[in-house]
Amino acid sequence: MAIKRFFKKYATFSGRASRSEYWWWTLVSVAVSIVLNIIIGAGAAATTTASSLSSAPAPGPGATIGYILLVIWVLATIVPSLALVVRRLHDGDFSGWLVLIGLVPFLGALALLVFMILPSNPAGQRFDQPGA
């Protein structure tokens, strides 16, 4: 249900998202990333020699397919993931612009993690659209 809502609200930056909606999506996203990394790792293990002049092995075709799938996955989910984080911040009664603190190395991601863990704040209703 949360995954369906994630894709249904693909680029919706207004409104709010519950903790469960955020964490179910995070679970699915991490699972898909692990599977893609296993595909890349298995493909990289099956190396081929690029040419007889080069002594450095090149990743096998499985790694290339894995990288292509990973790029497609990232491009397909970056906008809705950002929208979900903004809606989750709204649920805690924070401005969506706080998503930009994620650009601060390490500490920004840690701060966003804390914001995602915080419970809902009733004052966050101000981000809901009237009549929605």
Side-chain angles (χ1 to χ4, degrees):
M1 185 71 124
I3 308 310
K4 184 178 176 182
R5 191 174 357 179
F6 172 79
F7 285 109
K8 187 177 179 184
K9 294 184 173 187
Y10 193 87
T12 304
F13 288 84
S14 60
R16 300 185 294 162
S18 65
R19 280 193 286 188
S20 65
E21 183 179 352
Y22 176 81
W23 289 110
W24 276 111
W25 169 249
T26 301
L27 177 68
V28 169
S29 180
V30 167
V32 169
S33 297
I34 288 171
V35 168
L36 290 174
N37 281 306
I38 289 171
I39 292 171
I40 291 169
T47 58
T48 60
T49 305
S51 69
S52 59
L53 300 175
S54 173
S55 62
T64 304
I65 291 170
Y67 283 122
I68 290 169
L69 290 174
L70 184 64
V71 167
I72 291 170
W73 173 253
V74 168
L75 291 176
T77 60
I78 192 162
V79 170
S81 294
L82 286 172
L84 181 62
V85 170
V86 168
R87 290 194 317 269
R88 181 71 197 116
L89 286 167
H90 287 171
D91 192 48
D93 194 33
F94 299 105
S95 170
W97 288 104
L98 280 175
V99 74
L100 294 176
I101 65 171
L103 296 174
V104 176
F106 183 70
L107 294 177
L110 186 62
L112 277 177
L113 175 66
V114 170
F115 284 134
M116 298 302 108
I117 292 171
L118 291 175
S120 298
N121 186 340
Q125 289 178 358
R126 65 187 176 107
F127 293 104
D128 289 339
Q129 295 176 353

